[in-house]
Amino acid sequence: MALPNPSLLSSSSLYRLNPLLFSQRRRSITLSSLHFTSLKPRLFTASASSESDVFTSPEVSKSFDFTNEERIYNWWESQGYFKPNFDRESDPFVVPMPPPNVTGSLHMGHAMFVTLEDIMVRYHRMKGKPTLWLPGTDHAGIATQLVVERMLASEGIKRSELGRDEFTKRVWEWKEKYGGTITNQIKRLGASCDWTKERFTLDEQLSRAVIEAFIRLHEKDLIYQGSYMVNWSPNLQTAVSDLEVEYSEEPGFLYYIKYRVAGGSRSDFLTIATTRPETLFGDTALAVHPEDERYSKYVGMNAIVPQTYGRHIPIISDKYVDKEFGTGVLKISPGHDHNDYLLARKLGLPILNVMNKDGTLNDVAGLYSGLDRFEVREKLWKDLEEIDLAVEKKPYTLRVPRSQRGGEIIEPLVSKQWFVTMEPLAEKALKAVEKGELNIMPDRFEKIYNHWLTNIKDWCISRQLWWGHRIPVWYIVGKDCEEEYIVARSSDEAITKAREKYGKNVEIYQDPDVLDTWFSSSLWPFSTLGWPDVSAEDFKRFYPTSMLETGHDILFFWVARMVMMGIELTGKVPFSNIYLHGLIRDSQGRKMSKTLGNVVDPIGTMQEFGTDALRFTLALGTAGQDLNLSTERLTSNKAFTNKLWNAGKFVLQNLPKQNDTSALSTMLVYEFNKDECLLTLPLPECWVVSKLHILVDTVTTSYDKFFFGDVGREIYDFFWSDFADWYIETSKARLYNSDGGAVSSVAQAVLLYVFENILKMLHPFMPYVTEELWQTRAIRNARAEYSVEPAKRISASIVANSEVTQYISKEKEVLALLSRLDLQSIHFTDSPPNDANQSVHLVAGEGLEAYLPLADMVDITAEVQRLSKRINKMQKEYDGLVARLSSPEFIEKAPREIIDGIKEKASEAEEKLTLTKNRLTFLESTTVVAGSIHPA
């Protein structure tokens, strides 16, 4: 028979045939530290006894318990499995986490990026690469300041009343108290980051990087100051980026207003249509299309702006005007509309601002000065009606720009700000993709990337906030701010420079603005690695990073800017690959929003379906495409978790006992990765192992291409159809109907071999359940727990319903053989036995329970003595930890992380002590019932 090549010897394979490699500091073989290095069956773990309480065997648990996830994660982290080992001669795999806002709470977007990045990281770590996932959080200037201002408002305090220093102090206090929420929730998802390298964008080192970047860009004349059109938030009193503006369709009106023609008769007027009448005070022209015959006679004349005491503006023609919209006449208000602003600059029209920073109108509005913009809209319309200049008001669907943070309507406004010249930076970023130095996945986003960079505008990087990186610019008292200023790394450097230029008596003050959060975030991949402080050798080791994974919705606002800044400041692209995922939508394909009430909470989802099911569901999407999340998908993948658990239960129950050295030795003979071994296998075993080998190559290729959806589906199909539904069923005939010879042995070896390699391939997707199954010993049941002698036969009472009893009774001999039960002492009953309180109670499945008499299994008196000694030792260890925590001197002097570590150890020790005491109490009660004398 021609067999498919195992495909396991090529250098591109997912697995390697060299021995298991793991650091000497690691005390156990764990999927989170294991490399894909061996296809030999692993018959037992090297887990230390102190770790045995971390994991639960499928033999004693009906299904995987989601509450174990936190315990498993804490164990991974405590063992240092997420820290890279750079001793190996291999290029590191480095991923910077897109830093979530420090104010944030976990949403499905976070769940998506954490899942995908964790898959990448775990896969490369298991391949043996030194792997570093850099975590951190963003200070989120606007969001954080808004949160604290609202908190203060609830106390009746205004930010202006506190002053800048006190307000900033309050924000830091808030951050220390609540800022870790998002980090803990990301851990809950299983993120295998090196948390010892966690960064915050306002950390001292990262702040130095931000200042250094500003100075270097300014020295290259790439940063300048000027008055230009920006998005303005009246409530927050700051400019905001395009990303922080969300457009929504809302009901409104289209207002038709007459503008009389200067020098004409009462019938000479032009009617404009506008959604914002209040901006007419800033009109500087009316424009019509050159080919619009309706208005050609008025071109070159002037129009009178209503309610402005007769102010005249020119009537001009330009092809920009849409003849079909409204009346075909466009009012140009360049101080309050982005498009009008660009048109006015092209045509040389003046720019007139009619609005204050708080959204009220200024003196240019005359009688309407001091009124809120929306109040003016209503009042002005009524006034126009009275003077017969209001034509009509039609219902109209508006595209309203709202602040992503505060929800208020954003106002286009000309304001003095700091800007970065983007064209020369964009040119280098375009060439990086063109030369193949940067790979964008999916590749269709390359066109979007190129289009945006080709048409890029200069970047407004200043914000009128108090929370953030202060702009490193100082002004000279008595000098023009736009002409005379000093850029420096500190106030001391600034005063020194000022004295050198203006004399010793000079006075300076720092620019009150802070930098846009996106400015500091654009430095994230290299500032987290220590730029500009780290040595060139260390920096070269990790930079450029291997991969950036993030949502496609911030391709322009963050990803492209990181590429530009990285090339400009370090001379290299910041990462080799960019992987873009889509949005998470509801089951109907709608964007999740509180308004629609369709937001799915990831924390609640994990509690109901398990983290693994959520991760697997999210990972099955196609790169770059939006994913519709439904309860049906989650339910299906929860069932997949249970199926995996039950398969593990079957495999474990049918392996040789750990002390059956003869059977174990027989299993070790099989080398399934060799063709000559496959040729000797019976047909079913040969088929399933060959299918596994094909799967390994297919999965390896998909992993390396970042086709994670394909990986998940390929493993899912093989496990469910080929392994669980077909081979496991086939193996039962060999396991139950043989005499325990070669046929049974090969089935055991194949079951273990295939299942363990399924766990390896699936681990990056579903880390918790796979780790739990991996850590289970070959025999983790009542016999092993109570140290029952291998040759000893014990009795059992089987409690089952009639249907199960009828089936089991036919296989009584097989049951006795597999469980080493006394064939003559197996009793079937429909209720618990009288000595149930003196037995070990096992739930084998639906409608099937077993009671194993303790007296048959163990010397209870000896076990009581052993546990008593163990408790004494555990109590001393626990008391020692408590004593350290009770010492004021220790609490005062020890670092916070040491204290937290001792507290965690004390908590774990207390839990283990309680469990052991409970077991001792049970055994002692058993001796009393049995009439035994408990030793003193």
Side-chain angles (χ1 to χ4, degrees), residues 543 634 673 742 831 841:
Y543 186 84
L634 291 165
N673 48 57
S831 61
H841 178 209

Side-chain angles (χ1 to χ4, degrees), residues 102 166 832:
V102 71
E166 181 60 27

